[in-house]
Amino acid sequence: MSFLKKLLEIVLKRKILFFTLVFISITVFFLLIFFQKEGSLKIGKEGAESGFINLRVEIPPGAFGKQKVLKITRVSDEERKLYPDVFVGDLYRVEFADGVDEFALKPIRLKYYFDAKYLRGENYNNLTFAYATEDGGYRIIPGSMIGKDERGYYVEAFTYHLSVFGVVLRSAGFQKHGIRLLREAVNSSGPAVLLVPGEDPTFEGVVKDNNIWETIFPDRTIMTYEYALYEPRSLAYSEMYRSFIEKEGRRSFIDFESDFLSQEILKYSQYEFDILAHGTGGLIVLRMLQRHPEVNNVRKVVLLSTPVQGTNVVNPLYFSSIFYGKDPEVLEDIFGIEWTKLKMLTLHIRNLIDTLGEVVQEILPDSQLVKELGGFSRNDVEIVSICGDTPPYGVDVSGTELERFYPEFVKGRGDGFVSIQSCRVGKVEQLSGNFYDLYSREENVAHIRELLKYEVQVFSGFRSDDYEEYLPSKNPELSEESVQKVVEAKETKGTELSVLPVKILFENFLERIRSLELSSYLSGALVGKEVYIATESGVFAWDKKVFDKKIEFFKKVEDYASFVGEGDIFIVDNIGIKKYAPFPLVGDISDALITRNAIIYARVVPGGVRYYLFRNGAEKLLATSPGTTVRMKSENGNYLLITDGEVVAIGSDFKEKGRVLSSLFGEKVKIVDASFKDDAFYILLNDGSIAFVSSSRSETKNYGLTVPKKVLNFQGRILVVYDGVILDLSAGKAQRFDRGIIDVFLGNEGLFIVFDEKVRVSVEEWRLSKD
């Protein structure tokens, strides 16, 4: 190799035609293949005897054309002052013992053991590898991974060149991984736009507190897929990747992320997606579709500068042979390209190789992943692949020997990362622009918007044309006499057998058992045989105060109740009240339903309500709804998420079972409450009407009762609460009360009714009459 280097220097000095350099490059390539099995790690004598063992360096076979002996030296305390003070622990200079600096053809693995005190937690990515730069600064090595073995905690990273290495302590950041909602368009019927970035972080479109994609698609829900391509990776994230490697028997970060993305999209099964991906992010999307045919809620995919057939730009062999360690001014005479542009070309290529690290090996034209993508086929998803026509920085290698190696830098053929040939999949288009501005040019943005357009789905009505329509009717005069009265619902055309009763008979079917007066009331629940009542000042076990703090989110869940008091979660069960765990959520939460292993919570945002699921230390978007009010409740193993604009039923597995919009019942109609029984909704509307909605039919009736309050499922009966009336919908009868009803909650043999007593409230137990 030293002979080849000297020969190359002679070539450069004498400015011999580039075909000589091409000959040398090809010769080097075959020599590397010949010596591939001999490459290994050897620590130089000085490094071996020094005793400094925090840093481990592993050179894979084939990284160099011959065995390379490494010399690892700890940077002295005096010399340490020359480097930035961002490093923690020792710094190490790693160099070749023969003094010949070379660029590796395969990634060199670095492993640095650090003091456990620097680890903030398994989900924090606050530690990363870095190397010192020649200008006295430092550069983060993208994709650093935290790990732990029998020796302790370590940071692991991959590089193609040697330097002075150390570990940098960043501000503690929680690892982001998965789909994140940027903007929810709750009234949009179009597919959500999912952004999957690649090497260029600006593709996410974040400008201060805004996002350009929200402006480009003003009527669409916008989400982004966050993953650590170039960001440091937490211990939890890294261990997940290592588990994938062990299971698959190979290293493939792209396939690892494609599997994770598929899980995320399946979690959002209530959405249809249009995916917009850039660079390597597009490979993750394609592999996700190829490896996971069960993902069937993707409508369109638009790829920008995605190397479907690989890219030469990140080929370490080309970079090592042509550019690494070469003076751009000398190369100018050989290639006939201005040296400043050659310098920018060199920086661009090296930046991409550094950013991608070990992922480089996956996107070379002859990689296993690229070969497998050659058989890609998904006829159910429309795919458009877009390549730019202009290399960045004004570089154009047309007509030079570089054209054979880097077609991606030929004007009219490539954009600096892919060529029109290497991006081929689905429908292929070429637009004006380079790798960095292809997605932001005004004319291209308009074209992308056109590619992802959709037809607005207009509601065509229910399945049959005989559903009843009602207008509010006047409330009948109230009477305290126990005289039976019959109220008929407003009827329209239609002969189909009704689920809802046509007539309501007024009679007393409940009788009072006991009563309690309190100064305030928030919520109530029967747990076992004890009645718990949440008030503004705490919790009562009937008439005895058992919790003397301000509380929030008191709800009955299955056979227990839960609430939050002064930052902690409390569980109420047959034993009593006990502190369960710290409440992990912060910010403005409109409502929360707390189970033993998860929290469903809601935030009211401009344009609607977002429901989130917090479980196992992570949160995800569960559902979104139009509306401004929020009510959540647990009912017979299901969770109902209710706004004035929509009701959503969620199963105990947190998967959606159904939803109904208020707009189905009229433009100005709002939802008050709902119940879910036998996979059908009973919905109470603000005009007093009651709607029944199932997968096969719908009907609405109005019994002339006003001020609707609540719907309950009591032992299979559907009870509807109004101000002063409780309606047993299943039996077709109702009972009037002489006071206004604030709330009703379920007992074992009847109901607990909360009445408005003007200054105070009364909580009364009423049971079903035996008559």
Side-chain angles (χ1 to χ4, degrees):
M1 290 299 290
S2 60
F3 166 75
L4 292 175
K5 182 179 179 183
K6 291 179 181 178
L7 180 59
L8 181 59
E9 290 174 351
I10 294 172
V11 171
L12 295 176
K13 289 179 180 178
R14 295 184 180 180
K15 304 178 182 179
I16 299 175
L17 294 176
F18 184 66
F19 70 84
T20 306
L21 182 60
V22 174
F23 171 76
I24 294 173
S25 298
I26 294 173
T27 303
V28 171
F29 176 74
F30 284 108
L31 285 173
L32 291 172
I33 294 176
F34 178 77
F35 287 110
Q36 182 172 358
K37 295 182 180 180
E38 297 186 13
S40 63
L41 167 67
K42 287 195 175 181
I43 303 297
K45 183 177 180 181
E46 180 177 348
E49 293 178 354
S50 66
F52 302 116
I53 57 174
N54 284 346
L55 180 66
R56 294 286 182 268
V57 185
E58 179 183 332
I59 299 177
F64 299 100
K66 65 176 183 179
Q67 283 189 333
K68 298 290 287 184
V69 178
L70 293 178
K71 181 180 179 182
I72 303 176
T73 310
R74 175 182 174 273
V75 173
S76 67
D77 294 341
E78 186 64 27
E79 186 184 357
R80 175 77 180 257
K81 298 176 183 178
L82 301 175
Y83 297 101
D85 58 4
V86 297
F87 292 97
V88 296
D90 292 330
L91 291 180
Y92 295 93
R93 177 178 289 102
V94 184
E95 53 194 338
F96 294 114
D98 60 8
V100 179
D101 187 19
E102 297 185 53
F103 197 82
L105 303 186
K106 292 184 179 181
I108 301 169
R109 187 196 301 259
L110 305 172
K111 194 173 182 181
Y112 187 108
Y113 288 91
F114 63 87
D115 193 321
K117 69 181 181 181
Y118 295 121
L119 185 68
R120 295 291 182 266
E122 64 176 19
N123 287 307
Y124 287 88
N125 58 350
N126 61 306
L127 285 161
T128 180
F129 247 115
Y131 65 87
T133 56
E134 295 177 356
D135 58 2
Y138 72 98
R139 173 164 177 155
I140 297 294
I141 299 180
S144 295
M145 297 189 292
I146 299 176
K148 185 181 182 182
D149 59 19
E150 64 279 357
R151 286 202 56 210
Y153 291 102
Y154 61 85
V155 180
E156 179 183 32
F158 293 88
T159 184
Y160 290 83
H161 57 89
L162 303 183
S163 182
V164 172
F165 296 102
V167 172
V168 170
L169 182 64
R170 306 164 71 239
S171 58
F174 198 84
Q175 185 77 67
K176 298 177 180 179
H177 195 195
I179 291 177
R180 178 168 67 91
L181 180 71
L182 298 179
R183 193 271 309 284
E184 175 69 23
V186 293
N187 295 318
S188 173
S189 60
V193 177
L194 175 63
L195 308 171
V196 182
E199 298 76 6
D200 182 4
T202 61
F203 178 75
E204 289 191 55
V206 178
V207 181
K208 293 184 178 180
D209 295 330
N210 300 313
N211 190 285
I212 62 172
W213 297 109
E214 297 180 22
T215 304
I216 295 170
F217 298 102
D219 62 336
R220 306 280 286 274
T221 293
I222 310 294
M223 301 182 185
T224 186
Y225 180 62
E226 297 182 316
Y227 65 106
L229 176 64
Y230 43 80
E231 282 289 315
R233 301 163 189 169
S234 68
L235 175 62
Y237 189 108
S238 302
E239 289 304 310
M240 193 186 310
Y241 179 38
R242 293 185 182 102
S243 296
F244 170 87
I245 295 171
E246 184 177 353
K247 181 185 71 173
E248 295 283 319
R250 61 191 177 90
R251 300 187 72 91
S252 175
F253 183 77
I254 291 175
D255 279 354
F256 163 69
E257 284 299 338
S258 74
D259 288 358
F260 198 90
L261 176 59
S262 71
Q263 297 172 22
E264 288 290 289
I265 289 183
L266 289 172
K267 289 179 184 177
Y268 288 84
S269 59
Q270 71 269 34
Y271 289 91
E272 184 179 36
F273 286 100
D274 284 344
I275 300 180
L276 190 57
H278 187 238
T280 300
L283 295 179
I284 292 173
V285 172
L286 289 177
R287 289 294 279 172
M288 182 267 293
L289 293 173
Q290 186 177 42
R291 288 167 61 90
H292 298 279
E294 70 274 14
V295 174
N296 57 13
N297 55 330
V298 176
R299 185 186 71 133
K300 291 184 178 180
V301 173
V302 174
L303 305 174
L304 296 161
S305 301
T306 293
V308 184
Q309 298 186 29
T311 176
N312 297 293
V313 175
V314 295
N315 192 323
L317 171 61
Y318 294 170
F319 182 75
S320 174
S321 302
I322 301 173
F323 295 112
Y324 187 67
K326 316 301 188 302
D327 186 345
E329 294 189 41
V330 176
L331 295 178
E332 177 180 21
D333 292 336
I334 296 175
F335 300 131
I337 300 173
E338 185 181 341
W339 76 269
T340 55
K341 292 182 178 179
L342 281 173
K343 185 174 183 178
M344 294 304 297
L345 174 61
T346 303
L347 292 174
H348 170 69
I349 294 174
R350 180 161 178 171
N351 178 67
L352 285 173
I353 294 175
D354 277 351
T355 297
L356 289 169
E358 65 170 330
V359 178
V360 161
Q361 305 298 311
E362 297 189 68
I363 64 174
L364 295 175
D366 61 348
S367 72
Q368 183 63 34
L369 184 140
V370 168
K371 291 177 182 177
E372 291 181 10
L373 273 177
F376 178 84
S377 178
R378 279 292 293 262
N379 297 326
D380 59 322
V381 180
E382 182 181 342
I383 297 176
V384 179
S385 182
I386 299 175
C387 167
D389 66 352
T390 308
Y393 314 117
V395 177
D396 182 9
V397 302
S398 301
T400 73
E401 289 296 334
L402 285 178
E403 183 175 356
R404 299 167 54 189
F405 294 93
Y406 294 113
E408 298 87 353
F409 284 95
V410 176
K411 188 172 178 57
R413 289 176 58 189
D415 59 18
F417 191 60
V418 297
S419 67
I420 189 64
Q421 181 62 39
S422 66
C423 73
R424 290 190 176 278
V425 68
K427 179 183 178 183
V428 182
E429 298 182 352
Q430 190 168 32
L431 301 180
S432 178
N434 63 60
F435 175 68
Y436 297 108
D437 69 4
L438 183 64
Y439 56 84
S440 60
R441 292 194 173 197
E442 185 175 349
E443 64 273 20
N444 295 349
V445 166
H447 184 65
I448 292 170
R449 188 188 297 116
E450 180 68 16
L451 287 175
L452 296 185
K453 70 178 181 179
Y454 66 96
E455 298 295 330
V456 177
Q457 299 296 317
V458 179
F459 177 66
S460 58
F462 295 114
R463 295 187 181 181
S464 64
D465 61 358
D466 59 356
Y467 292 136
E468 297 133 349
E469 299 175 0
Y470 299 103
L471 296 175
S473 61
K474 294 182 180 180
N475 188 33
E477 292 183 2
L478 296 179
S479 171
E480 295 184 1
E481 299 176 3
S482 58
V483 178
Q484 295 183 353
K485 285 193 175 183
V486 175
V487 177
E488 295 188 6
K490 292 287 184 178
E491 296 288 349
T492 63
K493 63 177 181 177
T495 58
E496 187 176 0
L497 184 64
S498 295
V499 174
L500 303 176
V502 176
K503 297 180 180 181
I504 294 296
L505 178 67
F506 278 85
E507 65 176 48
N508 295 331
F509 61 92
L510 295 166
E511 57 183 10
R512 184 166 55 186
I513 303 300
R514 55 175 170 165
S515 179
L516 169 72
E517 282 201 357
L518 295 169
S519 59
S520 65
Y521 172 84
L522 296 177
S523 184
L526 179 70
V527 178
K529 296 182 179 180
E530 191 71 68
V531 180
Y532 290 92
I533 303 167
T535 71
E536 294 177 355
S537 62
V539 179
F540 287 80
W542 191 242
D543 58 352
K544 180 181 179 182
K545 199 168 192 179
V546 291
F547 191 86
D548 192 13
K549 296 177 183 178
K550 185 178 179 180
I551 69 168
E552 295 179 286
F553 315 133
F554 185 98
K555 283 184 172 61
K556 177 75 177 291
V557 184
E558 298 174 359
D559 59 348
Y560 59 92
S562 60
F563 64 88
V564 174
E566 294 190 348
D568 291 311
I569 296 172
F570 290 84
I571 297 293
V572 185
D573 55 21
N574 290 330
I575 300 175
I577 299 177
K578 58 184 176 182
K579 185 186 293 186
Y580 188 67
F583 187 62
L585 307 176
V586 295
D588 186 15
I589 299 174
S590 300
D591 198 8
L593 191 155
I594 304 166
T595 73
R596 293 186 186 273
N597 57 12
I599 301 173
I600 303 174
Y601 66 97
R603 298 186 192 274
V604 177
V605 298
V609 177
R610 297 175 185 170
Y611 298 100
Y612 297 88
L613 174 65
F614 184 90
R615 182 169 53 169
N616 297 328
E619 67 176 6
K620 75 165 188 174
L621 182 68
L622 187 63
T624 60
S625 290
T628 58
T629 64
V630 185
R631 171 182 287 184
M632 296 192 295
K633 62 182 183 181
S634 173
E635 184 184 75
N636 297 328
N638 297 310
Y639 307 114
L640 291 180
L641 318 178
I642 305 164
T643 71
D644 50 359
E646 186 177 42
V647 55
V648 182
I650 303 291
S652 58
D653 56 357
F654 303 109
K655 294 182 179 179
E656 185 175 315
K657 301 180 73 172
R659 61 170 66 201
V660 177
L661 286 164
S662 64
S663 57
L664 296 180
F665 311 108
E667 183 179 351
K668 296 182 179 180
V669 176
K670 302 296 182 183
I671 294 174
V672 175
D673 195 19
S675 183
F676 192 64
K677 176 188 175 186
D678 300 329
D679 293 328
F681 290 94
Y682 291 84
I683 301 172
L684 181 59
L685 305 174
N686 64 333
D687 65 356
S689 299
I690 302 167
F692 170 82
V693 181
S694 70
S695 60
S696 60
R697 62 174 301 174
S698 174
E699 61 176 292
T700 308
K701 284 185 168 58
N702 190 307
Y703 300 100
L705 303 173
T706 58
V707 193
K709 296 281 188 177
K710 198 169 188 178
V711 183
L712 301 167
N713 186 338
F714 174 63
Q715 298 178 358
R717 300 183 180 192
I718 299 299
L719 304 180
V720 186
V721 181
Y722 295 87
D723 185 22
V725 176
I726 295 180
L727 168 63
D728 185 343
L729 202 62
S730 303
K733 56 187 178 182
Q735 181 169 337
R736 290 195 179 98
F737 299 86
D738 58 0
R739 292 159 292 167
I741 298 176
I742 296 175
D743 189 25
V744 176
F745 59 94
L746 300 177
N748 288 330
E749 301 179 24
L751 308 173
F752 290 89
I753 307 173
V754 184
F755 291 102
D756 183 3
E757 304 290 355
K758 305 304 181 183
V759 178
R760 298 171 66 82
V761 300
S762 61
V763 182
E764 299 182 359
E765 182 179 5
W766 290 67
R767 293 183 182 175
L768 296 174
S769 175
K770 296 180 180 180
D771 296 336

